[in-house]
Amino acid sequence: MTLKAYRQKRTFSKTKEPKGELRDTGQRLFVVQEHHASRLHFDFRLQIGGVLKSWAVPKGPSLAPTQKRLAVQVEDHPVEYVDFEGEIAEGNYGAGQVAIWDRGSYTMVGDQDPQEAWNSGRMSFQLHGDKLRGQFNLVKMHNGENNWLLIKSNDRYAEPEWKLEMIMKSGRKTVSRQAKPRARANTPARTHP
Ligand code: MN
């Protein structure tokens, strides 16, 4: 694991994103960030070893087991990124607003080692978040190097009729009864076509 790709894509004098460092804190955190970049997507990240293993999920995660979500593996992010939200300024990689959509911890199913599971292309874990709970599975597809599927297991937390609710509109964070108070970016929202 390395942060080389992460750092190469960014100019840290121009973005508020953390430069970060490899830090194996032994925790198992997860975060989902709603990211209003040129294309809206949700970033799903699991702390594995000293980094956040990361996937871009165009449609966002789902609590419905029938809704298998494409999750495109992207570069490892620093562990500090679990706390990041706000604006990535115009002209920078991933420019647009980022808001923490959900976060919490995870536990592997069957006491699997997370790194070994990631290496094998098949991970099963329990999420302990505010929105995402119960077992999820990440399964690497054979037809594309970086394409995985994020699939909810059919357990007591599954919601077949579940629909994702965004927490931002046009890149601006909206007040939600589920949202915890967090520092807001002092920058105007960008409008998106
Ligand atoms: Mn993103």
Side-chain angles (χ1 to χ4, degrees), residues 52-176:
L52 299 177
K53 289 293 179 188
S54 297
W55 294 261
V57 184
K59 292 184 175 176
S62 175
L63 283 173
T66 55
Q67 295 181 349
K68 298 178 179 179
R69 298 304 206 199
L70 174 66
V72 182
Q73 185 188 315
V74 296
E75 77 274 16
D76 296 348
H77 279 50
V79 171
E80 290 92 331
Y81 215 92
V82 293
D83 295 319
F84 179 75
E85 59 180 5
E87 184 178 39
I88 300 172
E90 195 92 40
N92 288 279
Y93 180 72
Q97 294 284 345
V98 176
I100 294 171
W101 184 85
D102 196 20
R103 67 186 295 175
S105 62
Y106 74 95
T107 46
M108 294 298 291
V109 171
D111 222 18
Q112 237 186 340
D113 176 72
Q115 185 66 59
E116 284 175 17
W118 186 88
N119 292 348
S120 77
R122 186 171 277 268
M123 304 186 70
S124 294
F125 44 87
Q126 303 273 349
L127 293 181
H128 315 286
D130 293 330
K131 295 175 176 137
L132 299 182
R133 291 179 170 271
Q135 184 173 332
F136 285 78
N137 310 278
L138 272 166
V139 182
K140 198 168 190 176
M141 295 165 77
H142 297 295
N143 59 353
E145 294 172 40
N146 295 322
N147 293 344
W148 298 58
L149 292 173
L150 177 63
I151 309 164
K152 178 78 190 79
S153 289
N154 198 3
D155 56 21
R156 68 195 184 94
Y157 296 105
E159 293 185 29
E161 306 298 325
W162 190 79
K163 284 197 173 61
L164 183 144
E165 284 184 22
M166 295 201 299
I167 57 174
M168 287 190 287
K169 278 181 183 164
S170 301
R172 170 164 280 174
K173 196 167 181 180
T174 55
V175 178
S176 156

Side-chain angles (χ1 to χ4, degrees), residues 10 33 35 37 41-43 45 55-56 74 77 81 88 94 98:
R10 291 166 177 82
Q33 282 144 329
H35 188 178
H41 62 274
F42 291 77
D43 290 296
R45 312 187 196 280
W55 294 261
V74 296
H77 279 50
Y81 215 92
I88 300 172
V98 176

